[in-house]
Structure formats: structure tokens, C-alpha cells
């Protein structure tokens, strides 16, 4: 297995599996030098066990040799050329110089390549592998691409590996897999495996500098390790590159050292700041008596390219070699020159970094400037830039308390940027440097947040409580923020004991009377009552918290906390609006780690409001980012919403598969979303009429540790299943808590759902109809289409059973249209069954059958109707015979025929 390439390997495995199953796929692996293209090619070769391998490679020295690469690729199969259609055989033989011909027809050569490879694949599934495709001669690449784009129903997989060069290798119509740098965790593992023994700061710099390129990672890592062992490691800085190893230097340094001194000095200046424009580089060069003319030898040697506004190194390692070959005093002089030249306000941050790079001893003046740089970066939304600036400022701090405070700020920014390992390390370092309880509390709080993903929300709550206890007596505002973490995580974990401990501390806080945090504290205290089933005492404070959270001056954590209050109160629209604002803030400030959490609450609010498409959008983004950030708990939490969405869409198989995957983690860590997952699966059973299964499943949801949290909104489903399944006592067991909740929140949606429940259990028809009609009135303008449609369906079923056909039809048609609108497929199907019982049977109209075919299918069908064989059709349309057969197979049922001879009878 290749480090950090799980998804790429899975893509290749899927491509090979499809080929083995008879469906062709092709892929172009693109990337810079050293990024891992050839490693993936070798992986494909290994994974293709049992398949035929047709393998070639582009050779730069043969790039002008017409059909040279194609000849090498197909050489083992030249004895099969006589089996090709005549014109194709002649074209390919002419291309390979086997017969005299004025010129090989390139289209026929491509068609011959297609036919030959398709016939090989018809015998054995085949993998075509071409490495260094950028060096293919043009005629060979044209033929291969022509064939590749026309494989379809053939057991052929094609993989090209292409290094990005100045002359692009275009592959239109073929899927591209663009390799970027390895994800941070994978790069860390690879670095640890290949370059063991680096210090933590050294690892961080190598990881930052390499940008995930495996070659650069290893080369820079080896150089850094050698420097550290020799005691010559450079101080941490942000503008100069890391050293490179001897073997890389040998490939570039020889050229650099042959340049005139003036030229190599200008390269050093350019290497010292990749963000510098040409004017700045030349201004710094002027301080050393240099001019633009001094760059000409480097351009002539193809080390750099210069335009009017940019100087670009041909390879990032040339930059590193140019910087590291210079003596230390030369580098310091260059950084000092940059600091003198960069005087504009817009260049303040880069000037500060150059000062830091030129500073080798603690210097509070430079450290203070770096702190200002960090604050400016925070406003621009660069969380990692903030972390780097605070970290470097700490290293230049003479006072241990200043150092601890700045390291703490670096840890916080690293956490916000989604770098928990770095955040954890820096938080531990800050704790070890100080006895200040405020700093220690904040550092422990950061470590608590990290434990949410590493261990569980319960562990997060425990550490957050420990952190809060350090400051609750003398810094109540800081304690509020930390205790909010503890309360939220205690709630997530279904641990009322942890929540009540947090509430106890909230109650002892001495906040000023005019503190805006008092409303937030009151709401958090109210959570304890609300989640214990006493909503009457809690709703007022929670509603006020929700109102305040709409303000622009509320931080992301408190917005999320308020949003959870909103979900509990069924204020879904307000919750979504608050989360949209929180997401805007998180994105604008670069606080990446807050985004999945915000998307979680947003998806939940959209889901509960029946906005399933919007919920899917939020889940997809959240899962993608959470996977990238290795937030396993959050991935499972978001996928619990996905289970519900799959179930409501009628994809029960996917819902159950997702649930099986996430249930072990959720049941141990996050019972609230475990309950959501169970509720989603129960929805699928309810729509299918499996009432006993629903009652059993929802019993734990409606009576378990999170029964009074947002899963209380599953009670109407439990009531419906219990009544329809003949278990009225089980409906009676859960309805009182729901009624208490619905009356307390004073939300029309809650009242509507309660009236639906009462309608279901009513024994008198007058009472039932009154409850249904009241529910529908309350649904107007409140809640989503889904909840209203559920009430309309239930009412319509009730009316039909009482033979009020016209009234039933009105409700059922409205319900069906709403279910179709929101994508609740099984509920729509159930409604259609009810309409069918009323005699509603919409007629299906059949139009022109050719309109049902794809353009390619129309071509194939018309030629087949004219009497051509699959092989002849393939030769005409540049398709393989197998692909022709596939098109016919798909076209027959659309046309209502079963045999080829019937095509001639159609008007085509």
C-alpha cells in the first residue's frame, strides 16, 4: 500500500474491477515530478493479477520517432495483424514500416489499435499501461488516445501517467487523476518511515516545505536530519527553504556553482522569498550592486524563467539548492536587505518574516512585530499563518511567560486550522512553560477539543471541566467558553452527569450584571432541565439564547451551542440561518475545524425541516472535509444524517450499509446521532408498513438517554407505528413527554405534530378529524413540506377508510406531490397505493422510441437494421464489436424488440 494514496489506489482498483467485469475505463494520472505517478503505475501492474498486460513507456529521446512508442507497445502481437479488417491492417503495417505506403492513415491506425486491443481483451481482460506518456511521439499518442476514447463495453483498462511539463499532454475525454501532495497525516507517516529521527520542529518544517511531494519530502527530510545530527539545523523561519540532500544538490548545484557570482547571488535573493516580484528582487539586488542583466546566465541554463512580473524556478528543488549553497552570513545579509527594501504597508508581514529569518537570538522587538503579523493574518483568514507567526514569535521571546502565551496562541490557531497533532504538541509545551492558570486552562481546553475526535465527546467534556476548574473562580468569562465545551460534549455523549457538573460550575460564576454572556449561561443551565424532561423551566432561556445568537458579535462556539438549542426547540429555520452565519465566519477566518461541526447542525436542521436536498449538500461537504481532517467521530455523526436521508429517499440498502459501518463508533461515542441513525432506518420500515419493527427500534430512541433531545421528534413516528401495529399502550407510554415538549416550546410545528398524534389515537371520528384539520392549519407556513405531507397522507388514509373518496383524494394528491417534491420516494409510492385504491390510475404515454436512444445507439441500430454485422458496424463507427453489441443490448428494450431481425421492421 502507498502512503496517503488510499483514494487513488481505490480508483485504480475500481477501474480494474470494471474491466474484469466487461466495462472499459481509462485514467490519466497527472502530477509534477516526484509526486508518485510511477508508484501508482506499478501498483496498477501489481493489482492487475490475472489480466493481460500491454505495457509501454514514453522515451524523451524517441519523441520524434513516428509510431515508435506504439510499435514497442504492440510488438508482441504483430502476428495478429492479419486478423484485422483489411484497411486497418494495411494502415498499421504501413505505420510500422512493414509495407510501402505513401502515408499511414492516422485514423485507420487508431481504429486498428482499437480493434487489436479489443480482440486481445475479448480473450483475457487487459490492462494497457503507459508511463511517461508526455514523451510519447505524437502519432503514437494520437492512435492510443483515439482507441482509448472508444472503448466502452470491452474488458480493457487504460492507464497513462503524465508528468506536467511546459508542453501539456492533452487527453480530452479521459478521466484525469491529478496527484496533489500527500495529506498531512500520510506525509507524516512517510517521513517517519523513510527519515526516522527528525526532531518535531524539523518534521514540521519538512512537512510544510515539501507540500506533500514524496520525493521532496524524503530529500528535504534526509537533509534536515543530517543538519540536525551535525548540530547545524537552521532556526525556524518562514521565508527561506530547507536544505536539500547532496544527491539533489549535485543535480542542480553544479549548474549554479558554474554561474557568475553575481548571478548566483541574484538566485539566492529570489530563493529567499518566493512571493517577491521581479521589481523587489532587483531592488534587493541593487543593494549588492546587481542588475537584471546578471540573471541572463541562469535563464540561459534553464534554471529560471523571468517575465515582466515574476521569476520562476524550473523546479522547487533548484530554489532550495540556490538558497542552501550560500553561506549563512550571505543569507542573513539577503534577509536584512529584504527587510530594508520592504517598506510599504502592504509588505509589512513579509518584512517581519525577513527580520525573523535574520534574527538568531531572542529579540522582543521582532517577536512583537511577529505577533502583530499573526493578528493581521487572523483577520485575513489564514489560521496556519497565524500559528506559524505566533510560534516563531515565541521562539524569539526572552520572557518565559511571553513565550508560553505565544505558543498557546499558536496552538489555538493550529487547532482552528485543522492541525490537531501540532495543536496538541504546542498546547503541551505551553503548559510545561508556565504556572499561569489561565494559560494552563486554555491549553487543557485545546487538548480537550482534540480528544473529541481522538477518543470521545465524554473525554472532551472531562478535560474541559478540568480546564474550567482552573479559572472558574477568577476568570468567569474564560470559564464560560470552556464550560460550554463541556456542556455540549456531555450532551453529545448522553452523559447527564457531565452536563450537570458543567451546570454546577455555571451556577457558581460571578459574571457582571451587564455581561452579554449571562444569557448564554442561563441557556446552558436550562439544558439540564430540558434534557431531563422538564422543558417548561428551560424554554425561555434557550429561546433568548437563540435570539442573541443571530447577532454578528457572537463567536462560532456560542452560535453552535445556540443552534443546538434551536434544534431542541424545533426552530429549524432560525437554526439554519445561524449556522449559515457561523459557516461564513469559519470560512472567512480559515477556522477549518469549525466547518464540519457547523455543517453537522445545519444538516440536522435542514433534515428536520424536510429540506432533504440542502441537507445532503451540507452532509457531502462536511463528510469530505471531515475525512480530509481525519475527524472520525464527526464523519460518523454526519453519516448518521446520511442514513436518514438515504432511508427517506427509498435507498434502504444504502441506509443499512451506512448504519452498519458507523453504528459501532456512534453507539460508544455519540448516542444522540446513534438515535438519529436508528430513527432513519425506522422511517424506511414505517413507510413499508413494518410497524412492529418500527416500534421496537424507536423504543430505545424515545425512552433512552437522549429521549428529550432532538430525537423527541421521533415520537410521532413511534405513535403512528404503535397505533397501526396494534400496540396502543406503547404509544401511550411515549406521548406524554412529547406533549409536554410540544406545549412548552410553543412552536406551531410541535403543535401540529401533537395534533397528528392525537388524531391517530382518537376513538371518535369527530375528534380525529378535528385534530387532523387543526394540524394542517398549523402546518401552513410552519415546518417543511415533508411533515405536512405526512399529516395529509395520514388524514387521506383515514378519510378513504371512511369512504369519503373526494376528500381523501384532495389530501392524498397533495401528499404525493409534496413527497415527490422533496424526494421521499417510499412515502410517495405508499401514497400512490392509496390513490390506486380510489381508482386513480394515471395513463402512461409512449412517444417516439428513437427519442429514448442515445445518439450512438441510434447510429448502431440503423446500421444493424440495414444488415451490417457488429464487426462491420464497429469498423464504420470506430467502435469495437463488443461495444456495438452493448449498444444494441441497451437499445432493444427501449424499442420493444428482442431480436436483431425485428429492427428491419421498424421505421428507423
Amino acid at each position: 500500500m502507498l502512503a496517503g494514496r488510499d483514494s487513488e489506489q481505490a480508483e485504480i482498483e475500481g477501474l480494474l474491477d470494471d474491466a474484469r467485469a466487461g466495462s472499459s475505463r481509462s485514467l490519466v494520472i497527472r502530477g509534477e515530478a516526484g509526486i508518485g505517478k510511477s508508484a501508482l503505475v506499478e501498483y496498477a501492474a501489481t493489482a492487475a493479477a490475472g489480466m493481460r498486460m500491454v505495457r509501454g513507456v514514453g522515451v524523451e529521446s524517441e519523441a520524434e520517432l513516428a509510431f515508435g512508442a506504439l510499435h514497442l507497445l504492440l510488438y508482441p502481437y504483430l502476428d495478429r495483424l492479419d486478423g484485422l479488417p483489411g484497411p486497418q491492417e494495411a494502415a498499421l503495417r504501413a505505420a510500422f514500416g512493414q509495407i510501402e505506403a505513401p502515408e499511414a492513415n492516422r485514423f485507420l491506425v487508431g481504429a486498428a489499435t482499437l480493434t487489436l486491443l479489443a480482440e486481445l481483451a475479448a480473450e483475457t481482460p487487459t490492462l494497457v499501461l503507459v508511463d511517461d506518456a508526455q514523451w510519447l511521439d505524437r502519432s503514437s499518442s494520437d492512435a492510443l488516445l483515439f482507441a482509448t476514447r472508444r472503448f466502452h463495453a470491452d474488458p480493457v483498462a487504460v492507464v497513462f501517467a503524465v508528468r506536467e511539463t511546459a508542453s501539456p499532454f492533452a487527453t480530452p475525454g479521459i478521466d484525469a487523476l491529478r496527484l496533489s501532495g500527500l495529506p498531512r497525516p500520510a506525509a507524516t507517516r512517510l517521513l517517519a518511515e523513510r527519515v526516522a529521527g527528525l526532531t518535531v520542529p524539523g518534521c514540521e518544517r519538512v512537512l510544510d516545505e515539501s507540500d506533500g511531494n514524496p520525493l521532496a519530502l524524503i530529500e528535504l527530510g534526509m537533509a534536515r536530519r543530517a543538519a540536525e545530527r551535525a548540530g547545524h539545523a537552521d532556526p525556524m523561519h518562514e521565508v527561506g527553504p530547507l536544505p536539500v540532500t547532496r544527491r539533489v544538490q549535485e543535480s542542480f548545484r553544479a549548474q549554479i556553482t558554474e554561474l557568475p557570482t553575481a548571478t548566483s547571488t541574484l538566485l539566492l535573493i529570489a530563493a529567499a522569498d518566493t512571493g517577491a516580484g521581479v521589481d523587489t528582487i532587483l531592488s534587493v539586488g541593487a543593494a549588492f550592486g546587481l542588475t537584471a542583466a546578471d540573471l541572463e546566465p541562469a535563464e540561459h541554463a534553464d534554471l529560471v524563467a523571468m517575465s515582466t512580473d515574476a521569476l520562476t524556478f524550473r523546479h522547487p528543488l533548484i530554489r532550495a539548492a540556490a538558497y542552501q549553497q550560500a553561506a549563512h552570513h550571505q543569507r542573513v545579509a539577503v534577509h536584512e536587505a529584504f527587510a530594508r527594501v520592504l517598506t510599504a504597508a502592504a509588505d509589512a508581514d513579509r518584512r517581519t518574516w525577513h527580520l525573523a529569518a535574520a534574527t538568531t537570538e531572542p529579540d522582543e522587538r521582532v517577536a512583537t512585530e511577529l505577533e502583530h503579523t499573526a493578528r493581521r493574518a487572523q483577520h485575513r483568514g489564514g489560521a496556519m499563518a497565524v500559528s506559524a507567526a505566533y510560534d516563531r514569535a515565541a521562539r524569539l521571546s526572552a520572557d518565559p511567560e511571553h513565550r508560553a502565551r505565544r505558543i498557546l496562541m499558536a496552538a489555538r490557531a493550529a487547532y482552528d486550522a485543522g492541525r490537531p497533532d501540532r495543536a496538541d504538541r504546542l498546547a503541551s509545551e505551553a503548559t510545561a512553560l508556565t504556572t499561569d492558570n489561565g494559560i494552563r486552562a486554555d491549553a487543557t481546553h485545546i487538548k480537550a477539543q482534540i480528544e473529541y475526535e481522538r477518543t470521545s465527546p465524554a473525554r472532551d467534556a472531562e478535560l474541559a471541566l478540568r480546564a474550567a476548574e482552573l479559572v472558574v473562580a477568577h476568570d468567569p468569562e474564560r470559564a464560560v467558553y470552556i464550560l460550554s465545551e463541556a456542556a455540549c460534549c456531555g450532551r453529545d455523549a448522553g452523559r447527564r452527569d457531565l452536563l450537570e457538573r458543567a451546570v454546577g460550575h455555571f451556577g457558581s460564576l460571578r459574571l457582571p450584571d451587564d455581561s452579554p454572556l449571562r444569557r448564554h449561561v442561563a441557556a446552558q443551565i436550562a439544558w439540564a432541565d430540558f434534557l431531563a424532561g422538564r422543558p417548561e423551566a428551560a424554554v425561555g432561556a434557550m429561546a433568548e439564547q437563540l435570539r442573541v445568537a443571530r447577532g454578528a458579535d457572537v463567536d462560532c462556539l456560542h452560535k453552535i451551542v445556540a443552534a443546538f438549542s434551536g434544534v431542541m426547540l424545533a426552530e429549524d429555520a432560525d437554526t439554519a440561518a445561524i449556522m449559515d452565519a457561523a459557516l461564513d465566519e469559519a470560512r472567512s477566518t480559515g477556522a477549518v475545524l469549525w466547518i464540519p461541526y457547523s455543517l453537522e447542525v445545519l444538516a440536522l436542521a435542514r433534515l428536520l425541516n424536510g429540506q432533504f436536498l440542502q441537507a445532503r449538500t451540507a452532509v457531502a461537504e462536511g463528510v469530505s472535509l471531515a475525512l480530509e481532517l481525519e475527524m472520525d467521530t464527526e464523519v460518523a455523526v454526519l453519516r448518521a444524517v446520511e442514513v436518514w436521508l438515504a432511508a427517506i429517499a427509498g435507498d434502504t440498502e444504502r441506509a443499512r450499509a451506512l448504519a452498519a459501518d458507523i453504528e459501532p463508533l456512534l453507539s460508544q461515542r455519540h448516542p444522540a446521532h446513534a438515535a438519529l441513525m436508528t430513527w432513519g432506518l425506522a422511517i424506511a420500515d414505517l413507510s413499508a408498513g413494518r410497524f412492529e419493527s418500527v416500534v421496537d427500534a424507536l423504543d430505545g430512541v424515545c425512552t433512552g438517554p437522549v429521549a428529550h433531545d432532538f430525537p423527541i421528534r421521533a415520537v410521532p413516528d413511534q405513535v403512528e407505528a404503535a397505533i397501526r401495529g396494534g400496540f396502543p399502550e406503547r404509544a401511550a407510554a411515549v406521548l406524554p413527554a412529547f406533549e409536554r415538549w410540544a406545549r412548552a416550546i410553543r412552536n406551531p410545528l410541535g403543535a401540529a405534530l401533537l395534533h397528528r398524534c392525537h388524531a391517530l389515537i382518537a376513538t371518535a371520528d369527530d375528534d380525529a378529524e378535528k385534530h387532523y384539520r387543526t394540524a394542517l392549519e398549523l402546518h401552513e407556513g410552519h415546518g417543511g413540506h415533508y411533515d405536512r405531507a405526512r399529516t395529509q397522507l395520514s388524514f387521506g388514509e383515514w378519510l378513504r377508510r371512511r369512504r369519503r373518496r373526494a376528500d381523501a383524494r384532495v389530501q392524498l394528491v397533495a401528499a404525493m406531490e409534496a413527497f415527490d417534491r422533496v424526494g421521499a420516494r417510499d412515502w410517495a409510492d405508499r401514497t400512490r397505493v392509496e390513490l390506486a385504491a380510489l381508482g386513480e390510475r394515471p395513463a402512461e404515454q409512449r412517444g417516439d422510441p428513437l427519442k429514448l436512444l442515445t445518439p450512438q445507439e441510434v447510429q448502431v441500430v440503423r446500421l444493424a437494421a440495414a444488415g451490417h454485422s457488429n464487426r462491420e458496424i464497429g469498423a464504420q463507427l470506430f467502435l469495437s464489436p463488443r461495444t456495438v453489441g452493448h449498444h444494441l443490448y441497451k437499445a432493444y428494450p427501449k424499442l420493444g424488440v428482442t431480436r436483431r431481425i425485428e429492427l428491419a421492421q421498424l421505421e428507423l
Side-chain angles (χ1 to χ4, degrees):
M1 300 299 288
L2 304 176
R5 298 299 186 199
D6 294 351
S7 61
E8 292 85 352
Q9 290 173 265
E11 177 77 10
I12 289 170
E13 290 166 2
L15 177 142
L16 296 175
D17 288 342
D18 286 351
R20 292 186 180 104
S23 179
S24 178
R25 282 181 58 199
S26 55
L27 189 67
V28 181
I29 304 173
R30 294 184 173 276
E32 63 187 13
I35 202 66
K37 302 180 299 297
S38 295
L40 283 172
V41 166
E42 290 302 322
Y43 178 80
T46 302
M51 299 179 68
R52 186 195 304 272
M53 189 88 63
V54 179
R55 192 164 185 175
V57 63
V59 180
E60 186 175 7
S61 61
E62 298 181 2
E64 300 302 320
L65 182 60
F67 295 110
L70 186 66
H71 185 263
L72 287 175
L73 185 79
L74 299 180
Y75 185 82
Y77 311 104
L78 295 183
D79 59 342
R80 296 172 178 254
L81 296 187
D82 56 1
L84 299 176
Q88 294 181 12
E89 177 191 357
L92 203 54
R93 288 192 186 280
F96 293 162
Q98 294 183 346
I99 61 173
E100 291 292 331
E103 183 179 4
N105 183 304
R106 63 192 183 96
F107 292 108
L108 285 177
V109 172
T113 302
L114 165 68
T115 303
L116 179 56
L117 291 173
E119 292 187 354
L120 291 173
E123 299 171 0
T124 306
T126 298
L127 170 63
V128 179
L129 273 179
V130 182
D131 203 357
D132 279 333
Q134 75 278 358
W135 303 129
L136 291 175
D137 60 278
R138 178 64 181 268
S139 51
S140 292
S141 66
D142 284 349
L144 285 170
L145 293 173
F146 181 95
T148 299
R149 284 192 290 268
R150 284 159 178 79
F151 289 124
H152 184 68
D154 304 278
V156 179
V158 183
V159 177
F160 296 98
V162 177
R163 183 196 304 174
E164 302 291 12
T165 66
S167 300
F169 180 77
T171 55
I174 300 177
D175 291 340
L177 179 62
R178 297 186 179 275
L179 298 186
S180 56
L182 297 176
R184 190 77 172 201
T188 302
R189 291 194 298 272
L190 179 61
L191 185 61
E193 291 169 3
R194 300 292 296 273
V195 190
L198 277 174
T199 64
V200 171
C203 283
E204 291 294 325
R205 286 293 290 129
V206 169
L207 291 167
D208 290 341
E209 188 75 7
S210 66
D211 198 28
N213 183 298
L215 174 63
L217 192 75
I218 294 167
E219 298 292 347
L220 295 173
M222 292 175 66
R224 181 71 186 197
R225 182 179 62 185
E228 287 178 350
R229 289 178 175 176
H232 301 311
D234 289 340
M236 298 281 283
H237 56 76
E238 289 297 311
V239 289
L242 287 173
V244 293
T245 60
R246 180 183 299 275
R247 59 186 172 136
V248 177
Q249 285 181 339
E250 289 302 321
S251 62
F252 299 129
R253 184 186 290 175
Q255 298 175 67
I256 294 172
T257 54
E258 290 175 1
L259 298 172
T261 301
T263 304
S264 61
T265 302
L266 264 180
L267 289 184
L268 167 62
I269 292 169
D273 190 337
T274 52
V278 171
D279 289 346
T280 302
I281 291 171
L282 294 179
S283 294
V284 174
F288 297 89
L290 308 174
T291 68
D294 293 313
L295 274 175
E296 290 182 8
E299 292 182 273
H300 184 72
D302 196 28
L303 293 172
V304 297
M306 190 170 73
S307 62
T308 55
D309 58 355
L311 186 150
T312 307
F313 286 93
R314 176 168 56 83
H315 194 284
L317 296 180
I318 299 176
R319 177 203 174 205
Y323 187 86
Q324 293 302 327
Q325 73 156 1
H328 177 69
H329 72 276
Q330 292 175 305
R331 296 197 295 268
V332 168
V334 164
H335 289 300
E336 288 175 340
F338 265 109
R340 288 193 298 272
V341 166
L342 297 171
T343 56
D347 294 326
D349 293 339
R350 285 176 47 235
R351 174 185 176 277
T352 300
W353 278 116
H354 281 290
L355 277 177
T359 304
T360 57
E361 296 180 353
D363 187 320
E364 186 59 30
R365 180 182 61 86
V366 178
T368 300
E369 288 198 31
L370 276 168
E371 190 164 343
H372 294 325
T373 293
R375 291 172 185 163
R376 285 191 293 269
Q378 195 163 16
H379 291 304
R380 291 194 302 269
M384 271 312 299
V386 173
S387 181
Y390 274 123
D391 193 0
R392 181 58 177 152
R395 310 305 162 189
L396 294 177
S397 302
D399 185 283
E401 292 301 319
H402 287 334
R403 171 175 285 198
R405 178 180 57 79
R406 287 163 175 160
I407 289 176
L408 173 69
M409 298 299 290
R412 169 55 61 196
Y415 176 79
D416 287 346
R419 297 279 297 279
D421 290 342
R422 174 181 172 88
D424 188 42
R425 173 180 58 78
L426 290 169
S428 295
E429 185 178 354
T431 301
L433 283 171
T434 185
T435 58
D436 185 310
N437 277 345
I439 293 176
R440 293 169 66 87
D442 286 348
T444 304
H445 182 203
I446 292 169
K447 295 174 79 68
Q449 292 173 300
I450 293 167
E451 287 304 310
Y452 184 93
E453 293 297 334
R454 284 186 176 171
T455 308
S456 69
R459 178 59 178 159
D460 183 338
E462 290 166 352
L463 278 176
L465 286 168
R466 186 185 306 171
E469 287 163 359
L470 293 170
V471 292
V472 70
H474 66 275
D475 195 343
E477 292 191 354
R478 183 176 300 182
V480 168
Y481 193 83
I482 300 173
L483 287 170
S484 294
E485 177 88 14
C488 285
C489 291
R491 170 199 161 271
D492 287 346
R495 291 278 303 274
R496 282 177 51 199
D497 59 321
L498 295 173
L499 173 59
E500 287 170 1
R501 280 179 59 192
V503 166
H505 287 307
F506 273 128
S508 67
L509 293 174
R510 297 180 179 178
L511 289 167
D513 291 342
D514 60 349
S515 172
L517 291 175
R518 293 182 71 86
R519 293 189 182 94
H520 177 78
V521 168
Q524 294 294 90
I525 292 172
W527 274 18
D529 283 327
F530 195 95
L531 296 174
R534 299 184 295 271
E536 302 88 351
V539 166
M542 292 168 65
E544 178 64 10
Q545 178 192 40
L546 193 65
R547 185 192 67 77
V548 171
R550 299 187 193 107
D553 58 345
V554 179
D555 61 59
C556 197
L557 173 63
H558 288 151
K559 283 185 184 295
I560 290 176
V561 174
F564 279 124
S565 288
V567 170
M568 294 181 216
L569 298 176
E571 296 289 350
D572 302 322
D574 281 352
T575 298
I578 290 168
M579 283 298 89
D580 281 334
L583 282 165
D584 288 343
E585 179 184 347
R587 289 177 174 127
S588 67
T589 60
V592 179
L593 213 60
W594 285 110
I595 294 177
Y597 297 131
S598 300
L599 287 167
E600 170 201 333
V601 194
L602 178 62
L604 185 58
R606 299 294 193 194
L607 171 72
L608 295 173
N609 199 35
Q611 296 174 300
F612 302 138
L613 178 60
Q614 295 92 324
R616 286 189 187 96
T617 301
V619 167
E621 181 185 357
V623 167
S624 176
L625 186 55
L627 284 169
E628 184 180 340
L629 297 172
E630 296 194 324
M631 299 167 65
D632 294 342
T633 301
E634 195 59 20
V635 168
V637 165
L638 285 158
R639 283 192 165 148
V641 180
E642 195 173 356
V643 168
W644 216 101
L645 291 168
I648 206 69
D651 194 350
T652 306
E653 184 177 347
R654 172 166 172 75
R656 296 195 186 284
L658 276 170
D661 185 46
I662 63 177
E663 191 278 334
L665 187 147
L666 286 182
S667 63
Q668 296 173 15
R669 298 187 181 186
H670 214 295
H673 276 69
L676 177 68
M677 175 194 72
T678 302
W679 181 16
L681 295 176
I683 286 288
D685 286 337
L686 181 58
S687 65
R690 295 186 286 271
F691 302 124
E692 185 172 359
S693 174
V694 175
V695 171
D696 290 340
L698 290 184
D699 185 60
V701 173
C702 298
T703 62
V706 296
H708 300 291
D709 205 327
F710 69 84
I712 199 168
R713 293 164 75 171
V715 167
D717 292 322
Q718 175 75 324
V719 168
E720 180 175 343
I723 295 299
R724 296 190 187 283
F727 310 102
E729 73 284 353
R730 300 180 76 169
V734 296
L735 190 55
F738 183 79
E739 183 163 6
R740 194 172 183 182
W741 170 80
R743 295 191 187 285
I745 65 171
R746 298 178 183 176
N747 182 300
L749 173 60
L753 295 177
L754 179 60
H755 278 288
R756 186 209 296 169
C757 291
H758 281 305
L760 284 164
I761 65 175
T763 56
D765 283 0
D766 288 347
D767 290 342
E769 184 165 0
K770 180 179 178 181
H771 282 300
Y772 275 128
R773 294 199 180 281
T774 302
L776 290 174
E777 289 174 5
L778 289 165
H779 276 303
E780 289 293 341
H782 301 285
H785 294 296
Y786 172 74
D787 281 320
R788 177 179 173 80
R790 288 285 304 278
T791 300
Q792 289 170 325
L793 170 58
S794 184
F795 189 24
E797 291 171 330
W798 184 88
L799 290 167
R800 186 185 67 79
R801 289 195 297 271
R802 281 147 187 82
R803 299 185 180 182
R804 295 169 58 179
R805 299 171 62 85
D807 291 340
R809 184 185 181 281
V810 170
Q811 299 301 328
L812 292 172
V813 168
M816 182 186 67
E817 292 174 350
F819 286 137
D820 283 336
R821 189 180 308 123
V822 300
R825 193 180 73 185
D826 285 353
W827 288 103
D829 289 345
R830 175 169 154 179
T831 310
R832 287 188 175 90
V833 170
E834 289 290 320
L835 283 167
L838 292 174
E840 298 285 331
R841 284 178 171 75
E844 292 187 10
Q845 296 182 351
R846 183 176 177 82
D848 180 1
L850 285 181
K851 291 182 179 179
L852 302 175
L853 305 182
T854 67
Q856 190 93 85
E857 288 168 355
V858 172
Q859 287 181 297
V860 169
V861 164
R862 283 177 169 160
L863 288 170
H868 294 286
S869 69
N870 285 7
R871 188 178 178 86
E872 291 168 340
I873 296 170
Q876 287 192 49
L877 300 180
F878 300 116
L879 300 172
S880 73
R882 188 182 178 100
T883 296
V884 171
H886 177 74
H887 285 310
L888 287 171
Y889 176 79
K890 291 179 66 178
Y892 284 175
K894 297 177 184 179
L895 297 172
V897 303
T898 57
R899 294 182 299 167
R900 195 184 193 99
I901 194 172
E902 295 177 61
L903 295 175
Q905 302 170 10
L906 297 176
E907 295 182 4
L908 301 174

